[in-house]
Amino acid sequence: YAAKRSRSGIEAYRADMSRRLERRIDMASRLDQALRHGELQLHYQPQVRLDDGGIVGMEALLRWHDTELGWIRPDEFIPLAEERGMIDAVGDFVVGQACAQIRAWRGAGLLLPGRLALNISAMQLDADTFSERLITAVTRAGLSPTEFDLELTESGIMVDPVRSLAIMKLLKAAGFSLSVDDFGMGYSSLSHLKGFPFDKIKLDGSFVQGMLTDRSDYAIVMATVTMARNLGLQLVAEGVETADQAVALKSIGCELAQGFLYGRACPPEVFAARWLQSAPAAGH
Ligand code: C2E
Ligand code: MG
Ligand code: MG
Ligand code: MG
């Protein structure tokens, strides 16, 4: 009986695996199409000051809506793009669209409150042409690297730390600012961080969400706030969802936040209406 049961278990498992594999293959070809047809789009989420909720910057978050599969999360399709050798194309698309958006906002007379943050995955950093392509795309669009912040994960830069450091120095010298994304989720975060030219730490939302109920999450948030201050780095608390979390963060000296409490990532028109102000008219 047990053997029979486990055999059918294995069969069910195999069927499930092959369904998943099919979904991934199907999704890969759809992603490829979406990319060709420009069907991916960037949404934008504000970064704010905790004391008055004023906007200080924004993060571009990639969205993919497939007519059959519906909304697909970047946590699902970015790894897929990496697996299928499409990540450089995805990255180029993101940079192109981000540049076009900044130009469009500016063209409409809107004032950008700070840098636009772009997410860069480990494998993007891996391509030899990465920094060159990025700098070329930005300058060809008539923009400056000083308008952008690049979010790298610790695990991403640790794939090849020596090489990452060289690339990061180059990007810094070009004018980009650099942030550690998902801080706290990697290994040996503290000791490794000091050798890299980061400007900002983004504390992973999981700690913020746990900080009022879990002592160790609270301790990690506290330690990160102190460490960022002592290292002279900016700190953004990610994933702030409730007013209580915001109050607690403020009380321990955290100044910047991002999260649903302030605003979800939204399409550019919605973002502009909610967060961007017109530049004062020139010549007066
Ligand atoms: P991330 O860079 O750490 O982005 C933060 C994620 O948390 C975003 O999910 C955002 O929508 C979500 N979030 C923001 N505030 C809250 C909150 O208050 N509560 C909760 N529960 N979640 C919140 P999203 O947009 O699904 O992106 C997931 C990840 O996908 C990003 O994590 C980033 O690593 C990656 N990603 C997104 N866009 C790109 C891109 O253009 N290129 C690359 N390489 N990766 C990207
Ligand atoms: Mg990010
Ligand atoms: Mg993050
Ligand atoms: Mg993340």
Side-chain angles (χ1 to χ4, degrees):
Y1 178 68
K4 202 168 159 193
R5 220 171 86 149
S6 84
R7 188 169 306 135
S8 69
I10 288 169
E11 272 155 22
Y13 174 77
R14 281 202 183 124
D16 184 51
M17 284 296 280
S18 79
R19 263 197 306 277
R20 274 195 221 182
L21 187 64
E22 261 167 46
R23 176 172 156 93
R24 290 184 73 73
I25 291 169
D26 184 39
M27 210 189 267
S29 70
R30 283 166 182 277
L31 179 59
D32 190 49
Q33 289 293 315
L35 204 53
R36 283 176 210 284
H37 298 139
E39 287 163 5
L40 299 177
Q41 54 168 325
L42 289 178
H43 282 195
Y44 299 85
Q45 187 180 33
Q47 294 179 356
V48 305
R49 281 185 302 266
L50 273 159
D51 63 358
D52 64 358
I55 184 169
V56 295
M58 57 237 156
E59 178 174 5
L61 293 159
L62 196 54
R63 296 290 178 261
W64 174 23
H65 185 266
D66 179 88
T67 44
E68 261 176 55
L69 303 175
W71 286 102
I72 302 161
R73 303 206 36 180
D75 287 336
E76 192 170 6
F77 70 81
I78 295 291
L80 181 68
E82 293 189 329
E83 237 170 68
R84 301 282 161 155
M86 294 188 269
I87 192 64
D88 291 347
V90 170
D92 291 347
F93 173 85
V94 166
V95 175
Q97 178 141 321
C99 289
Q101 191 61 65
I102 290 181
R103 290 177 57 108
W105 278 335
R106 209 161 271 155
L110 297 170
L111 201 63
L112 301 189
R115 292 180 186 244
L116 174 60
L118 304 178
N119 289 284
I120 309 296
S121 72
M123 206 174 277
Q124 289 176 267
L125 217 54
D126 217 33
D128 285 326
T129 54
F130 172 74
S131 45
E132 198 188 300
R133 283 201 333 273
L134 178 61
I135 294 167
T136 307
V138 167
T139 50
R140 279 218 183 118
L143 300 175
S144 158
T146 55
E147 308 193 67
F148 296 92
D149 175 25
L150 305 177
E151 297 191 357
L152 312 169
T153 61
E154 190 202 10
S155 49
I157 64 174
M158 287 309 160
V159 173
D160 185 349
V162 175
R163 195 167 163 278
S164 301
L165 180 61
I167 297 170
M168 289 168 69
K169 283 182 172 163
L170 205 145
L171 294 169
K172 267 290 272 200
F176 291 100
S177 82
L178 303 176
S179 296
V180 201
D181 205 350
D182 302 344
F183 181 78
M185 299 305 281
Y187 300 105
S188 56
S189 313
L190 300 168
S191 56
H192 277 128
L193 208 69
K194 68 177 200 293
F196 291 89
F198 282 114
D199 301 282
K200 188 193 271 184
I201 293 173
K202 298 191 75 184
L203 178 63
D204 194 77
S206 58
F207 303 107
V208 174
Q209 280 150 30
M211 73 182 286
L212 296 177
T213 48
D214 182 315
R215 275 163 172 276
S216 31
D217 282 344
Y218 189 84
I220 290 170
V221 175
M222 285 261 282
T224 307
V225 170
T226 306
M227 181 202 63
R229 182 180 310 122
N230 292 338
L231 292 175
L233 299 173
Q234 285 191 295
L235 175 68
V236 178
E238 286 195 276
V240 180
E241 294 183 347
T242 69
D244 287 348
Q245 289 162 358
V247 168
L249 285 164
K250 245 185 292 188
S251 77
I252 58 178
C254 180
E255 293 173 352
L256 304 174
Q258 194 176 334
F260 295 169
L261 177 63
Y262 305 99
R264 291 178 184 246
C266 58
E269 318 76 56
V270 179
F271 183 83
R274 169 72 181 85
W275 293 101
L276 301 181
Q277 286 179 350
S278 299
H284 292 283

